[in-house]
Amino acid sequence: MTPPCPAGGGTGSQQTILHEEQWKMPALPALLLSIYVAVLLLTMAPLSFSQALSAVRMAAILDDQSACGRGERLALALARENINNLMEGSSQARVEVDVYELQTDSQYDTTDTMCQILTKGVVSVIGPASSPASGSTISHICGEKEIPHVKIGPEETPKLPYLRFASVTLYPSNEDLSLAIGSILRSFGYPMASLVCAKAECLLRLEELVHRFLISRETLSVRMLDDSLDPTPLLKEIRDDKVATIIIDANASISYHILRKANELGMMSAFYKYILTTMDFPLLRLDDVVGDQSNILGFSMLNASHPFYLEFIRSLNLSWREGCNITPYPGPALSSALMFDAVHVVVSAVRELNRSQEIGVKPLSCTSPLIWQHGTSLMNYLRMVEYDGLTGHIEFNSKGQRTNYTLKILEKHPRGHKEIGTWYSNNTLAMNSTSLDLNASETLANKTLIVTTILENPYVMHKANHQDYQGNDQYKGFCVDMLRELADILKFSFKIKLVDDGLYGAPEPNGSWTGMVGELINRSRVPPLSARRLGDPRLSSAPDPPTGRLLP
């Protein structure tokens, strides 16, 4: 039997259904009927619980306690204005970013901050950059409430247990970092290396790298800084072990401290190669450390070809000069660029999701079991985002980790740094021709070497009237003539210096050496210029030089 048409002639689907139900059921009191209708309307219109998406509101959590700041707050403002200006006159929701600051890396303080954020009705939480305990707490709460968490800091160690609701991260994974370092070492021929760790977690961070050394059967020694953060004892051990490749896993400030101490110990010659894991490598100012033959490598994610890059740098530079008395401006911290990109990534995902369904936001509470009903959908769209940002190409795998991106490999020089290669996230390395590949003749060109020696006929002798001369002109002999010929061919200069204690070198009870051999082991001079270099057996018990090339 066909039900009669509604008396009011309404055409809406809800109204039609209501009249069908009214026709089927027995007569009910007017009050009960109104309750029934209200319940039915609520079940058919779940968005009435939520506030319509009039603005794309997200929360950013900062943990920057540095004196001059990393520029993260300004980066968020620039991202917001950049997006809103492009939408001028559009009907699309505008972007709003609420900023919260953490004073300590504390689970308690972070939980309190997150409970404040939940009441605002946000579509995502971004950050923090360098607070692992806080980051874990945020991921857990976001997982429970199904609000996407966009991470911009290093991966937690140990890894978080699987969460019901995952996050995405713009920072390279620990595995990728290990693979990138391994690729550089492979280009060196997998030499014996030493890993200097600022924190014990470094072995978990670089687990894949350690595993690869075990497979290759090459030697990787691990040395841990103690609470004093004094690297001197560790560096002396590395020097005495004749290890030339040193990996430093520490933040930018501690990395600089280690390199400065290495320079004081004479460990900045061409013999040594340093690889730093900090992603703020471009910010390191090493003018007082780096020499013409220093080999210090690191990584950068910054994309200088991005159309907004120059404006981004200019704005952060102006802000730095206004609020900080440290000059010059070192450049943008990676965390500020990642903050900028994170805002764009979230907005891109929200817009794509909004094309397929009308979404809304609602205030949540730490004391309520309610979740955001659109969170799972937005997380799925976040994993599908592809965006070219200030940190290069952004794309995620099924685990929410960054994929299909590149790391620039930089080498420090006295005047800054230059790009010498690129590592691709499919574990491919493309290296340019660098000073690391040059042979001895190219390396020594236009350099001045200090040559330690001892007086001995006929190899090195004083001229009869040597008091009337200065520098190298005081000396003659077979070794001196040979050195002059080599300098002319290889285009280097040299200064002859008699060994301080006048000895060839003998072992001490503590394992060190005196004389020319001691100076060579301590790397304070080039290989000794003496009879032993010409086959004299008198020094046959002395250790072999750490390298066969001349050293500055």
Side-chain angles (χ1 to χ4, degrees):
M1 177 177 177
T2 305
C5 292
T11 59
S13 59
Q14 292 183 3
Q15 187 179 16
T16 302
I17 294 173
L18 287 174
H19 279 282
E20 288 177 350
E21 294 295 333
Q22 183 180 12
W23 176 78
K24 289 181 180 179
M25 63 183 166
L28 293 172
L31 178 59
L32 184 59
L33 178 60
S34 63
I35 294 174
Y36 176 82
V37 171
V39 171
L40 186 58
L41 283 172
L42 287 174
T43 58
M44 296 186 64
L47 284 179
S48 60
F49 280 113
S50 302
Q51 180 183 357
L53 195 63
S54 59
V56 180
R57 181 177 297 278
M58 61 193 80
I61 300 179
L62 311 184
D63 59 356
D64 184 7
Q65 304 299 323
S66 58
C68 294
R70 298 190 295 247
E72 295 168 2
R73 182 183 290 270
L74 178 56
L76 292 166
L78 291 172
R80 182 194 65 213
E81 294 306 312
N82 179 250
I83 296 170
N84 288 338
N85 288 341
L86 293 175
M87 295 191 313
E88 201 67 43
S90 169
S91 60
Q92 291 180 314
R94 294 179 65 80
V95 175
E96 298 294 340
V97 183
D98 296 334
V99 178
Y100 299 82
E101 294 191 356
L102 295 177
Q103 300 303 317
T104 59
D105 187 13
S106 160
Q107 182 178 0
Y108 177 81
D109 291 342
T110 305
T111 300
D112 182 63
T113 300
M114 280 300 298
C115 290
Q116 296 177 45
I117 290 173
L118 291 178
T119 63
K120 302 295 183 180
V122 298
V123 299
S124 179
V125 179
I126 303 171
S130 55
S131 299
S134 298
S136 299
T137 301
I138 294 167
S139 289
H140 178 77
I141 295 175
C142 284
E144 290 299 319
K145 296 299 179 180
E146 298 200 359
I147 298 175
H149 180 204
V150 182
K151 300 179 181 180
I152 63 166
E155 188 177 338
E156 295 92 347
T157 50
K159 294 179 180 179
L160 288 173
Y162 176 76
L163 297 176
R164 182 170 58 88
F165 187 81
S167 57
V168 296
T169 178
L170 297 179
Y171 199 92
S173 68
N174 292 339
E175 181 179 1
D176 280 355
L177 181 58
S178 285
L179 292 175
I181 296 172
S183 294
I184 296 175
L185 292 174
R186 188 164 60 247
S187 73
F188 295 165
Y190 268 120
M192 181 169 63
S194 183
L195 172 61
V196 177
C197 297
K199 296 181 179 179
E201 293 86 353
C202 116
L203 292 179
L204 295 174
R205 268 170 45 83
L206 301 177
E207 179 182 4
E208 180 66 24
L209 177 66
V210 175
H211 179 65
R212 286 179 173 267
F213 262 91
L214 292 175
I215 294 176
S216 67
R217 297 185 179 180
E218 297 296 337
T219 302
L220 176 68
S221 59
V222 179
R223 291 175 168 86
M224 201 77 59
L225 289 177
D226 60 21
D227 293 339
S228 70
L229 297 180
D230 181 11
T232 305
L234 306 184
L235 292 172
K236 286 183 176 179
E237 289 176 8
I238 293 171
R239 185 184 63 186
D240 293 345
D241 290 345
K242 305 175 188 176
V243 177
T245 303
I246 303 170
I247 304 162
I248 300 176
D249 185 61
N251 62 30
S253 60
I254 294 178
S255 296
Y256 168 75
H257 178 58
I258 294 172
L259 292 173
R260 188 163 59 87
K261 185 59 65 174
N263 184 50
E264 293 174 5
L265 294 173
M267 298 175 66
M268 278 295 157
S269 66
F271 174 74
Y272 293 100
K273 299 180 180 70
Y274 295 88
I275 303 174
L276 276 57
T277 65
T278 173
M279 287 295 161
D280 277 325
F281 182 78
L283 302 185
L284 280 172
R285 297 191 61 85
L286 302 177
D287 301 349
D288 58 339
V289 172
V290 176
D292 290 334
Q293 290 195 334
S294 300
N295 299 314
I296 305 175
L297 276 62
F299 303 99
S300 173
M301 298 183 71
L302 297 177
N303 175 20
S305 63
H306 189 277
F308 195 73
Y309 181 79
L310 292 179
E311 176 63 21
F312 185 76
I313 296 294
R314 187 189 69 83
S315 299
L316 266 64
N317 188 6
L318 287 174
S319 175
W320 176 280
R321 290 164 61 184
E322 290 174 359
C324 185
N325 56 7
I326 300 176
T327 57
Y329 172 59
L334 176 62
S335 60
S336 63
L338 290 175
M339 281 285 188
F340 182 93
D341 285 350
V343 174
H344 282 78
V345 166
V346 172
V347 171
S348 297
V350 169
R351 287 179 178 172
E352 288 301 315
L353 175 59
N354 218 24
R355 294 178 192 271
S356 61
Q357 58 180 286
E358 183 180 355
I359 65 174
V361 293
K362 63 181 179 182
L364 298 173
S365 169
C366 284
T367 60
S368 167
L370 292 178
I371 63 172
W372 185 38
Q373 68 269 36
H374 299 292
T376 300
S377 297
L378 181 57
M379 178 57 71
N380 291 334
Y381 274 87
L382 271 171
R383 291 199 183 103
M384 294 188 289
V385 164
E386 290 191 33
Y387 170 72
D388 291 320
L390 290 176
T391 59
H393 182 72
I394 297 175
E395 190 177 339
F396 304 103
N397 60 21
S398 60
K399 298 179 181 179
Q401 297 171 324
R402 195 158 175 176
T403 187
N404 292 336
Y405 69 101
T406 61
L407 295 177
K408 296 179 179 64
I409 301 172
L410 307 181
E411 183 179 20
K412 285 291 183 182
H413 287 276
R415 293 159 297 280
H417 59 258
K418 70 175 182 178
E419 184 177 339
I420 63 169
T422 304
W423 180 83
Y424 300 86
S425 58
N426 63 358
N427 202 23
T428 302
L429 178 68
M431 293 288 282
N432 306 328
S433 176
T434 74
S435 61
L436 301 175
D437 306 317
L438 301 179
N439 58 40
S441 63
E442 294 170 310
T443 302
L444 294 176
N446 301 316
K447 303 295 187 299
T448 298
L449 308 180
I450 300 175
V451 181
T452 185
T453 187
I454 192 169
L455 294 176
E456 181 180 6
N457 295 338
Y459 305 106
V460 180
M461 302 173 288
H462 270 141
K463 292 180 180 179
N465 54 342
H466 67 274
Q467 298 91 345
D468 299 333
Y469 298 94
Q470 292 183 344
N472 299 339
D473 293 338
Q474 301 176 74
Y475 305 101
K476 65 178 182 178
F478 180 79
C479 285
V480 177
D481 293 341
M482 181 180 65
L483 186 58
R484 286 182 176 134
E485 288 296 323
L486 288 172
D488 184 58
I489 295 171
L490 300 179
K491 310 301 181 186
F492 66 85
S493 303
F494 64 91
K495 295 179 181 178
I496 296 176
K497 180 186 181 301
L498 298 181
V499 63
D500 292 337
D501 58 12
L503 302 174
Y504 285 105
E508 298 277 52
N510 62 3
S512 64
W513 281 71
T514 60
M516 289 187 294
V517 177
E519 291 189 351
L520 173 61
I521 293 175
N522 293 333
R523 313 214 65 79
S524 58
R525 304 283 184 271
V526 300
L529 187 65
S530 68
R532 181 176 187 267
R533 308 305 294 169
L534 303 175
D536 193 313
R538 286 175 294 173
L539 293 177
S540 59
S541 63
D544 290 329
T547 180
R549 72 167 67 171
L550 295 176
L551 298 175

